[in-house]
Amino acid sequence: MGYGIALRVWGDYACFTRPEMKVERVSYDVMTPSAARGILEAIHWKPAIRWVVDRIHVLNPIHFENIRRNEVESKASARKKSIYVSEERQQRASLILKNVQYVIEAHFEMTEQCGKEDTPEKHYNIFLRRARQGQCFHRPYLGCREFPANFELLGDNKVTDTYESTNFGEIDLGYMLLDQTFHVNSKGQVEEIIPHFFRAQMINGVIEVPPLEEAIR
């Protein structure tokens, strides 16, 4: 296991969209491991390291809120560089989370792309410095870009008590998206995206995240 960190993240709203919902957005009850990894990568990421989420602590009670949002039907691409919002606007309902707060416990591992100058100590210290100073490559978000995430590094991996630590015990959250793997062809183009799921159990407000290798097997 590599160098571990604990990062507190919070925000007014969040939406960790369930992939089985094709039309309306419906959030998972809590943050997904892939969303947690995205927040860490927004603070510091290089090809030399790979972030691994170990556990997620749920600090606030789970509250949902129904909203309606304007979205566009298509996505911008190399072929379609322009989107006319007035022609492609769609109003959709969303079931999102309100007033969320989590602690992400994670570590990073060195990849095959690391060079001689890449050491665990170097990347660990870079992350600590950037997280303490509030620096990031892009603003991290809670599932959707319109829901920005605030973040704070916790010293010595100190995690505050979760809201369910004495009240509810164990909660079965059902199957949750763990992460995705990408199959790339010889031209560097993504040919297939394979989602991987795990059975999420929240015990005393803490979700233990299994290694991705276990989901792939």
Side-chain angles (χ1 to χ4, degrees), residues 19 30 52 64 70 74 76-77 83 86 91-93 98 100 106 121 143-144 150 157 161 170 186-187 189 205:
V30 299
V52 179
F64 285 95
N70 289 325
S74 60
S77 64
I83 296 178
S86 59
Q91 192 173 70
R92 294 180 177 178
K98 182 178 181 181
V100 299
E121 294 84 359
C144 296
N150 304 297
N157 288 5
D161 291 337
E170 182 173 344
S186 57
K187 297 181 180 179
Q189 300 171 330

Side-chain angles (χ1 to χ4, degrees), residues 81-205:
K81 298 181 179 180
S82 300
I83 296 178
Y84 297 96
V85 177
S86 59
E87 297 177 3
E88 301 192 34
R89 181 188 293 117
Q90 292 182 344
Q91 192 173 70
R92 294 180 177 178
S94 298
L95 184 62
I96 65 174
L97 295 166
K98 182 178 181 181
N99 189 26
V100 299
Q101 184 176 191
Y102 309 100
V103 168
I104 303 168
E105 284 193 73
H107 70 278
F108 65 84
E109 299 172 349
M110 306 304 292
T111 71
E112 296 178 352
Q113 301 184 54
C114 65
K116 294 182 179 179
E117 72 284 358
D118 291 305
T119 63
E121 294 84 359
K122 170 186 173 181
H123 290 283
Y124 181 66
N125 289 323
I126 290 175
F127 180 87
L128 294 184
R129 184 182 69 252
R130 292 177 63 84
R132 287 179 181 136
Q133 297 177 355
Q135 295 177 329
C136 49
F137 293 115
H138 62 82
R139 181 67 183 270
Y141 51 89
L142 297 163
C144 296
R145 290 189 181 274
E146 57 264 47
F147 303 139
N150 304 297
F151 62 90
E152 174 192 31
L153 183 69
L154 298 182
D156 299 325
N157 288 5
K158 182 180 179 180
V159 180
T160 55
D161 291 337
T162 57
Y163 87 95
E164 292 187 337
S165 59
T166 58
N167 295 331
F168 293 94
E170 182 173 344
I171 297 178
D172 187 350
L173 298 173
Y175 283 98
M176 177 181 290
L177 178 66
L178 175 61
D179 216 324
Q180 297 175 325
T181 54
F182 302 86
H183 287 184
V184 181
N185 59 25
S186 57
K187 297 181 180 179
Q189 300 171 330
V190 177
E191 288 187 336
E192 186 179 12
I193 302 176
I194 303 177
H196 302 283
F197 297 85
F198 75 107
R199 192 63 178 260
Q201 302 283 337
M202 183 163 64
I203 302 175
N204 295 330

